[in-house]
Amino acid sequence: MNQIQLGQTDLVVSEVGFGAIPIIRLDPQTAARVLRHAYDRGITFFDTANAYRDSEEKIGQALGDVRERIVLATKTQQRGGDGLREHLERSLRMLRTDRIDLYQLHQIAQESDWEAVTAPGGALEEAVRARDAGKIRYLGVTSHSLPMALKVIRTGLFSTVQFPFNFIEEAAADELLPVARQLGMGFIVMKPFGGGAIDNAEAAFKYLRQHQGIVPIPGFESTDQIDEVLSFYRSPNAVSEQDRAVMERYREELGKRFCRRCEYCQPCPQGVMITPAMGYRILVNRMSPQVATEFLKGPMESVPQCTECGLCTQRCPYDLPVPEIIKSHYELYRRHLAEVDSSGPETA
Ligand code: SF4
Ligand code: SF4
């Protein structure tokens, strides 16, 4: 596995990192096996977050003995200095280390987030203090919002930016990535599979490998997934007309209306289960109306509770017209229910 320099930091990382959300779902032994497999295959960059439940603890347990050979990144959504200090101390304890290589302010989505972290006594002030004290080596930022990410990286306060980037979310390619490069910042790719919307790993990485110096951090939950992704890096990247057609089909199918399942829109005051209801159409395409109607019955039956108050749309960093989409999915769901009822049990 090739190693690359993360921006102008002195952090040298594998060209593919390990995104540690999925290991939340694994028991500690399986998580340790998957993490160790990644390390044994040459992955040296592990990205987690205080918000990812026991993910930091699992990394600390699995990789504590090779701490000096890996680069650890974590993050906090705290906006105040006291909160950041508490999260940082917890991360250090869980990750079994005395310093975090890259500490990121997590999901600076709106102006209010930025105002809060930069206020006197805010998270940024405390993060700088912790860096000066040697508990943090470099500061980074993560965001799903292009305007906020651009604004924040231009301050020059951060060494890296982490942003969604894949062949159906290409906004970063035009401006954010060039600006990050110009500023000498590391560019970490979150959601290389569009948050689960892209189920063609080869196409996903063929697209990303066209962009030099970026570090995707796919979430892994099995050794097979690691082996598959690393196999793409064994030969030079070649994107054929056929590959471009595959990507184009995804773009057409998903359009600009797909949900990344980030859950920033929740909770809904009316109890609508927004995220699964937003994913109904993708699930139907992947499986069948029968499976989708059964599997998403609860979320879909919560949709009529929506009063169109607009709160979720305001909170969504992608400006998705959430009520409109979930209501159209609900209509589709009702049609599918009727079809399934009239066709009887599904046969293989
Ligand atoms: S618009 Fe509907 S789904 Fe969104 S927060 Fe309001 S009630 Fe809930
Ligand atoms: S609707 Fe928007 S905020 Fe809610 S989960 Fe989907 S992408 Fe995230």
Side-chain angles (χ1 to χ4, degrees):
M1 174 106 276
N2 287 334
Q3 307 284 311
I4 61 173
Q5 192 178 351
L6 204 48
Q8 287 179 353
T9 71
D10 63 1
L11 301 175
V12 176
V13 300
S14 49
E15 59 187 332
V16 175
F18 189 114
I21 291 181
I23 62 169
I24 296 169
R25 289 194 285 270
L26 305 180
D27 65 65
Q29 290 74 26
T30 311
R33 195 162 50 78
V34 172
L35 285 159
R36 206 66 198 197
H37 186 81
Y39 173 73
D40 290 341
R41 294 292 179 279
I43 292 180
T44 57
F45 183 48
F46 295 82
D47 179 87
T48 180
N50 181 286
Y52 303 163
R53 296 191 213 153
D54 61 359
S55 167
E56 289 181 326
E57 190 176 4
K58 284 169 172 162
I59 292 174
Q61 280 169 359
L63 301 172
D65 62 323
V66 291
R67 169 67 187 98
E68 296 310 317
R69 298 194 190 131
I70 60 176
V71 173
L72 284 176
T74 190
K75 37 188 125 64
T76 178
Q77 288 194 45
Q78 289 292 318
R79 303 304 186 224
D82 290 347
L84 183 137
R85 194 176 321 115
E86 199 185 304
H87 272 197
L88 174 60
E89 291 303 327
R90 182 179 185 281
S91 293
L92 290 166
R93 228 174 26 254
M94 292 296 121
L95 289 164
R96 302 187 184 188
T97 184
D98 58 2
R99 71 187 188 288
I100 305 293
D101 298 308
L102 177 64
Y103 199 66
Q104 299 154 103
L105 299 186
H106 196 174
Q107 184 50 1
I108 303 297
Q110 294 168 10
E111 207 54 56
S112 55
D113 295 316
W114 184 238
E115 282 168 14
V117 297
T118 52
L124 183 61
E125 198 177 281
E126 184 60 31
V128 169
R129 193 173 298 129
R131 186 182 58 191
D132 293 345
K135 293 183 177 184
I136 292 171
R137 293 187 64 198
Y138 294 97
L139 288 177
V141 64
T142 85
S143 182
H144 290 76
S145 158
L146 187 60
M148 279 312 296
L150 279 167
K151 172 177 174 159
V152 170
I153 69 172
R154 284 184 171 126
T155 63
L157 293 165
F158 300 95
S159 302
T160 64
V161 59
Q162 185 174 146
F163 197 80
F165 188 35
N166 53 68
F167 65 74
I168 51 175
E169 292 175 274
E170 301 180 89
D174 293 335
E175 206 173 352
L176 189 64
L177 185 52
V179 173
R181 282 197 179 118
Q182 200 180 13
L183 295 168
M185 296 177 73
F187 193 95
I188 301 163
V189 175
M190 69 163 96
K191 297 188 169 65
F193 303 122
I198 300 169
D199 53 7
N200 183 330
E202 189 175 11
F205 279 88
K206 280 190 172 186
Y207 175 79
L208 289 173
R209 288 185 69 203
Q210 297 175 112
H211 302 273
Q212 295 299 308
I214 62 174
V215 183
I217 48 165
F220 292 121
E221 61 182 13
S222 74
T223 54
D224 285 351
Q225 287 172 350
I226 295 168
D227 291 342
E228 182 187 26
V229 168
L230 297 192
S231 72
F232 304 142
Y233 282 77
R234 284 202 200 101
S235 45
N237 196 34
V239 184
S240 66
E241 277 315 305
Q242 202 181 347
D243 295 323
R244 290 187 213 285
V246 167
M247 295 175 203
E248 200 47 43
R249 273 202 298 280
Y250 274 90
R251 290 184 190 113
E252 279 166 18
E253 189 187 313
L254 296 165
K256 303 288 179 199
R257 288 164 66 88
F258 89 99
C259 169
R260 286 77 167 172
R261 297 183 289 184
C262 61
E263 307 218 328
Y264 295 119
C265 52
Q266 313 212 47
C268 163
Q270 304 302 326
V272 177
M273 297 164 74
I274 300 171
T275 312
M278 290 289 282
Y280 181 77
R281 196 180 289 273
I282 288 181
L283 197 73
V284 170
N285 290 344
R286 273 203 205 141
M287 299 187 180
S288 68
Q290 176 154 15
V291 173
T293 49
E294 278 174 26
F295 191 68
L296 292 180
K297 185 173 191 297
M300 296 318 294
E301 293 294 344
S302 74
V303 171
Q305 292 157 216
C306 173
T307 58
E308 303 193 17
C309 72
L311 191 60
C312 52
T313 304
Q314 281 168 31
R315 289 175 178 158
C316 176
Y318 302 99
D319 299 323
L320 297 184
V322 177
E324 184 195 315
I325 294 174
I326 57 176
K327 286 185 177 185
S328 75
H329 286 182
Y330 181 72
E331 281 168 26
L332 193 62
Y333 163 77
R334 296 295 305 178
R335 281 207 301 281
H336 287 154
L337 271 186
E339 284 165 20
V340 168
D341 284 350
S342 64
S343 64
E346 191 176 53
T347 52

